[in-house]
Amino acid sequence: VLDSQYGMYVWPCAVVLAQYLWAHRRSLPGKRVLEIGAGVSLPGVVAARCGAQVILSDSEELPRCLQSCRSSCLMNRLPHVPVLGLTWGRVSPELLSLAPIDIILGSDVFFDPRDFEDILTTIYFLLEKNPHAQFWTTYQVRSADWSIEALLYKWKLKSIHVPLHSFGADKEHLASSSLPGRHTIEMMIISLAQSDGT
């Protein structure tokens, strides 16, 4: 039985998102990056090691996950990366006082359909404050019935599908993990849907 705090594991989606960051490492120095639902923080750690200014976050209600973020930073010689408690769907002082960001990361945050709207509410809030920012997210297809399309429309967001082969993540083994062969992993980039059609 898995620990109820899912953020205590490195999931296949985190490895795929980390691969995307590595493939785009030359564009990361100086970028301001926020990872939501960070848990073990593999994507955020990779972004930081590639020169991005990273903030890690997980739910303020999951202290073990927040500690996991801090531990990952220490193990990877990143002691100055801030770790914040941010709960999806909740407007908190921490969320309101966030510095400007360029990229939001989220690996396998679309896990429980009950959280989808809270996640996209938070993403919409962040993108409204940072209109040129993007949300880079990977997710595992667990059910054909789970979709965020209606919620993207409701929150005036658009998504672009990123094929895994375009960044070398369509192999059977990636970073010594057997994936995505036995998992159906997808990646998309979410941004504000502009009224002028861009």
Side-chain angles (χ1 to χ4, degrees), residues 148-174:
I148 62 167
E149 290 302 316
L151 290 172
L152 289 174
Y153 180 79
K154 176 181 177 180
W155 287 101
K156 300 178 179 67
L157 299 169
K158 64 180 179 180
S159 69
I160 297 168
H161 178 261
V162 181
L164 268 54
H165 69 82
S166 69
F167 57 100
D170 59 337
K171 302 171 175 63
E172 281 189 34
H173 288 82
L174 193 62

Side-chain angles (χ1 to χ4, degrees), residues 35-55:
E35 185 175 2
I36 64 167
V40 180
S41 315
L42 177 62
V45 164
V46 169
R49 298 291 295 176
C50 290
Q53 300 168 26
V54 174
I55 299 171

Side-chain angles (χ1 to χ4, degrees), residues 19-29 46-47 49-52:
Q19 175 77 8
Y20 186 79
L21 289 157
W22 182 249
H24 292 85
R25 62 190 174 278
R26 288 179 185 83
S27 68
L28 291 175
V46 169
R49 298 291 295 176
C50 290

Side-chain angles (χ1 to χ4, degrees), residues 72-94:
S72 290
C73 289
L74 292 174
M75 285 186 278
N76 287 281
R77 296 186 295 279
L78 298 166
H80 303 297
V81 170
V83 175
L84 298 178
L86 295 178
T87 301
W88 302 326
R90 183 178 301 161
V91 178
S92 63
E94 291 78 13

Side-chain angles (χ1 to χ4, degrees), residues 6-8 11 59 70 88 96 118 125 133 136-137 173 177-178 189 192 196:
Y6 303 115
M8 305 303 289
W11 295 94
S59 173
R70 292 183 192 97
W88 302 326
L96 291 170
D118 285 343
F125 176 84
W136 297 359
T137 184
H173 288 82
S177 299
S178 50
I189 295 175
L192 289 177
D196 62 1

